[in-house]
Amino acid sequence: MNFAILRFPGSNCDFDALHVLTSVVPGATARFAWHKETELGSCDAVVVPGGFSYGDYLRAGAMAAHSPILGAVRAFAERGGPVLGICNGFQILCEAGLLDGVLVRNASLRFECRDVHLVVEGRPTHWTAAIPAGRILKMPIAHAEGRYLHAEIDVLEREGRVLFRYADAAGGVDAAANPNGSTNNIAGVASRRGNVVGLMPHPERAAEAILGSSDGRLLFESLVARGGRV
Amino acid sequence: MTAKIYVTLKKSVLDPQGQAVARSLGRLGFAEVQDARIGKYIEVKLDGTRADVRDRIERMCRDLLANTVIEEYRYELGE
């Protein structure tokens, strides 16, 4: 399975994603796609990595959402192609309208950089189908704008499109486990069709035991194992 | 022509930056400060008739300058 990893001026998790998808996850290959390109070329899935695309000018992800490559990503997503946005990639996909909602400044006003626990739930998607509901994943976060807001949060919840929630190590979802003030402890969501997924935590930084957790691999393995099908 | 565009957070959206500024003002002795909200000011120079410019500015705000999930915008047209 071939992944295209987008690169913007200011992307800084692009090589982490490339490493995981060329050297860690069996069955995966990957290459970069520059933001000025208008075609993705042949690929089975797209990863929008973290960083500070275009310096986070105006709003996090706002400029990248209108870059040429996003037109190609939009067409790919409309054909049902799997797209994963990580951290700034999640912000970009929200700004581009490929995911609902928006990510704003952390309630703490701090750049939150630490390991968190997530509880997996919601409808199965390309990126989560192989992860049992209720499974607790450990991954790092590193962001200043991760407070998720949505105008119709009840609809999102009812449709099972909340995939990851900040929790404690035992899976308890409460305010103490919420690092950024995100609505309903939401850490990651899916599009209505389920092929586009975004999350603030970094699965690509938690894909090998030597890094303290390999839970993040499950997202990529989930996709590869099913050949891109849910 | 110059358009002066103000982008502000909707009243329903928590503004922790604004709260921090209000607290700092309080510490500086401005005890009368009850709240502060932070927004953006964008100046755009452009050509066109006033009617056309209004339409174009509206679209700029909706497409890029404001995220209408959380923000509101207003603008003034200058010389």
Side-chain angles (χ1 to χ4, degrees):
Chain A
M1 174 160 277
N2 188 24
F3 291 76
I5 301 165
L6 306 194
R7 296 186 84 190
F8 303 94
S11 292
N12 65 9
C13 301
D14 40 356
F15 279 93
D16 303 62
L18 187 73
H19 167 70
V20 169
L21 293 170
T22 53
S23 306
V24 177
V25 175
T29 57
R31 61 179 169 76
F32 288 136
W34 185 234
H35 69 117
K36 287 184 177 170
E37 293 174 28
T38 53
E39 299 290 335
L40 280 167
S42 167
C43 70
D44 305 303
V46 173
V47 173
V48 191
F52 299 87
S53 57
Y54 297 89
D56 273 354
Y57 293 164
L58 195 63
R59 294 179 306 277
M63 314 296 277
H66 299 283
S67 62
I69 195 69
L70 255 288
V73 173
R74 191 183 305 279
F76 180 77
E78 281 166 6
R79 291 196 301 272
V83 179
L84 180 70
I86 301 166
C87 195
N88 188 223
F90 183 16
Q91 296 162 341
I92 292 168
L93 294 176
C94 286
E95 282 284 345
L98 289 170
L99 289 170
D100 294 342
V102 61
L103 294 140
V104 298
R105 186 62 62 95
N106 296 344
S108 65
L109 286 180
R110 283 192 296 271
F111 186 93
E112 299 290 350
C113 186
R114 55 188 151 107
D115 283 337
V116 296
H117 291 92
L118 309 173
V119 62
V120 180
E121 57 179 89
R123 283 195 293 131
T125 70
H126 294 73
W127 302 94
T128 56
I131 312 175
R135 172 82 186 252
I136 295 158
L137 308 178
K138 188 172 112 177
M139 289 182 213
I141 54 167
H143 62 248
E145 278 98 14
R147 179 162 55 105
Y148 183 77
L149 300 179
H150 188 292
E152 293 181 308
I153 202 77
D154 295 344
V155 175
L156 191 83
E157 293 275 6
R158 203 162 52 236
E159 292 177 352
R161 289 160 58 198
V162 176
L163 302 184
F164 306 102
R165 245 182 259 276
Y166 299 110
D168 58 32
V173 175
D174 58 20
N178 189 338
N180 52 29
S182 194
T183 309
N184 297 0
N185 280 44
I186 291 170
V189 301
S191 63
R192 190 159 274 126
R193 200 165 163 183
N195 58 316
V196 183
V197 167
L199 76 169
M200 288 311 295
H202 285 272
E204 84 288 9
R205 293 192 200 173
E208 291 162 279
I210 196 170
L211 298 176
S213 171
S214 56
D215 292 346
R217 277 174 70 159
L218 293 170
L219 277 81
F220 305 107
E221 288 174 350
S222 184
L223 186 76
V224 172
R226 287 157 194 263
R229 293 183 300 278
V230 177
Chain B
M1 193 180 305
T2 303
K4 298 177 173 182
I5 302 166
Y6 304 86
V7 179
T8 52
L9 279 177
K10 287 181 179 173
K11 284 196 172 58
S12 58
V13 177
L14 173 75
D15 179 10
Q17 276 192 97
Q19 289 177 341
V21 167
R23 282 196 298 274
S24 283
L25 288 171
R27 276 196 297 276
L28 284 169
F30 298 100
E32 67 273 37
V33 172
Q34 297 186 346
D35 192 18
R37 307 276 293 171
I38 291 178
K40 297 186 185 101
Y41 170 70
I42 304 159
E43 233 175 56
V44 177
K45 282 197 165 59
L46 70 180
D47 298 323
T49 66
R50 288 183 90 79
D52 287 346
V53 162
R54 282 188 183 282
D55 181 55
R56 302 290 285 175
I57 295 282
E58 283 283 339
R59 282 172 58 182
M60 288 178 206
C61 288
R62 286 198 303 269
D63 290 354
L64 180 65
L65 301 180
N67 184 324
T68 54
V69 177
I70 48 164
E71 293 170 329
E72 297 169 333
Y73 58 85
R74 63 190 173 82
Y75 55 87
E76 301 158 1
L77 297 182
E79 292 309 310

